[in-house]
Amino acid sequence: MNAQVVSQGSALHIRRATVADAEALAEIGARTFFETFAADNTPEDMRMFLESTWRPDLQRAEILDEGLDTLLACDASGAIAAFAQLRANHPPPGIVVRAPVELKRFYVDKPWHGQGLARSLMDAAEQAARARGAREFWLGVWERNERAQAFYR
């Protein structure tokens, strides 16, 4: 999975994450999650979640997990502008499916909002799901995340 994307005149490269990306992925993951959800959570709950989810060792393990695909959209300097993570064979509860792939995470750094990057990354995520043989591609989105809901629609 390697794709070149041009967004608002800036060249971006979409590629699979490697273990060398674990620290940068943990940083952008924690930061974008905090920016999106901190206002609706207590500081203690947010701190506990970030510490339990966005550590470099956890990102390294997820990158190495054969059931996950982590895609990065990087700018010309190599900095991560957005990322998506797909998880195979975890169907939504209560729904019978044949070959599900879940869009587990999908985050775009604020400076890149509204520049078309999300659509390019979603296209790459859909291609990765197809490459896994997905018959169903699903996601969950928080009811208060109106920006994400509008994009997914």
Side-chain angles (χ1 to χ4, degrees), residues 28 32 35 81-83 106-114 117-118 121:
I28 191 173
T32 56
E35 290 169 354
F83 68 96
F106 193 91
Y107 291 95
V108 177
D109 203 2
K110 273 189 178 181
W112 293 94
H113 285 189
L117 170 57
L121 184 58

Side-chain angles (χ1 to χ4, degrees), residues 88-92 95-101 132-138:
N89 300 315
H90 283 268
I95 298 176
V96 177
V97 293
R98 294 164 291 191
V101 172
R132 280 193 171 270
R135 306 258 330 224
E136 299 89 10
F137 187 49
W138 71 280

Side-chain angles (χ1 to χ4, degrees), residues 3-18:
Q4 194 72 17
V5 178
V6 176
S7 177
Q8 298 286 326
S10 299
L12 294 166
H13 182 72
I14 298 175
R15 63 175 176 81
R16 292 193 184 279
T18 69

